Amino acid sequence: MPNTSYSVVSKNKIKSFNKTIFVDSDKSISIRAFLIGSISEGISEIKNILESDDVFSTMNCLKKLGVKIKKNGKKNYSIYGKGLGSLYAKKNTKLNLGNSGTGLRLLSSIIATTPNIEVVLTGDQSLRKRNMSKLISLLNEFGAEFYPKSKVFLPLKIISSDMPIGIKFNSGVSSQIKSACILSGLNSFGKTTIIEKIRSRDHLEKMLLNSSNVIKIKNSKNNREIKIIGKSHLEPFRIKIPGDPSSAAFFVALTLLAKNSSLKIKNVGLNPTRIGFLDIMKNAGGRIQIKNIKNKKGEPFGDIYIKSSKLKPLRVTKKFYVRCVDEFPIIFVISSMIHGVSILEVDAENLKNKESDRIIEMKKILKQIGIKCIVKNNKIKIYGNPNVKNLDKKINVPNLHDHRICMSSFMLGLLGFKAVIKSFNTQVNSSSPNFLRIVRSLGAKYEIKKN
């Protein structure tokens, strides 16, 4: 891939295909593995890391905080853990997390309860637009301070707490805020208790189970209680990262909507908190099978088999939302190409605070191809029409710093529309650096134009 920014034009309808692919490694697990490895005691070994801009941003910030990270070969790394409370940086060191909201929120939470740290947090244009009020409020409870006091957007200075004490926290739908609470609790005095009524992705909890004295989880009918025992010892670990189910979703969608096609995606993460998208597609008539399921350190993974399908309008209730938050841009695309009205129930506030306002931006894209989309509070109605005349429809996608908007628009291009996506590589490289290579292997054709 060239280092300079370039646009991609996708305008040729993809022909039938029957292929086997691997998708990029899981970003959520990759970032969490680096963070936990850095505060464990000993050397942690991580294989098949996602080598993307978001992960590199997190890695570079950890190095500025004194963590030694060694590359052992392609996608394989050793992390020389410093132990809880041992990260350090010179006063006012700038930590740039790029486009990574996960890296920002989770690294901030480690810093919050690590004594004697005063650093400046910043990111790219997109990350600087994301409201951090929930994170600030949470980390204030642990005693950390943010400056300027009235500001909720980056850049922000964080001053860690010298005497952090565990808290009790009611978790919402955001797995990042839940994970932030867990990480802050690790180096706080006493216990931190998290009550989770709606279960969000739990990769971090599974990693911490490697150190049984650190975390206790109790499941009941109405909620899930997570207890973090502060000031404990974190054991080093070894992990191999599976394929990212969110990255796989784009290729699942393309196969379902393409004519006479089939696809096998190998070694994809199948954590139940991450595969709501697959369940939604199955409920709509998608011909999807999961085979060869294995389990390592509590994380299931396996192969996904997909065939072209005649889908019914989608019904996405709130119980599915938290299990497919990242897939909503491609869910918009699928809904637009199905006869009938698809109804999506969402947490609008959460979706608007992603890399871009994904509800507004996807509505704009659908409007460009003549698809009606009505948004009212937390409900979205998409009036699908697979027969919309597409030869004269052109989709223009500006640089929103949002990889999922880019990839969703690209898929519309492969379904027969002309999609012109600005600064494609600088956006998509944040989480799916191999995206174009994979779609090319399926027979996709596209043009690259320098910006």
Side-chain angles (χ1 to χ4, degrees), residues 165-168 185 188-193 227-230:
I165 297 173
I167 68 170
K168 186 171 182 178
S188 297
F189 291 96
K191 294 180 181 179
T192 292
T193 302
K227 282 191 176 181
I228 302 299
I229 297 87

Side-chain angles (χ1 to χ4, degrees), residues 403-426:
H403 53 284
R404 300 194 194 281
I405 299 285
C406 286
M407 293 187 284
S408 298
S409 303
F410 188 98
M411 291 308 180
L412 276 172
L414 296 184
L415 295 171
F417 301 91
K418 181 178 180 181
V420 181
I421 307 165
K422 297 288 187 183
S423 303
F424 186 91
N425 59 322
T426 57

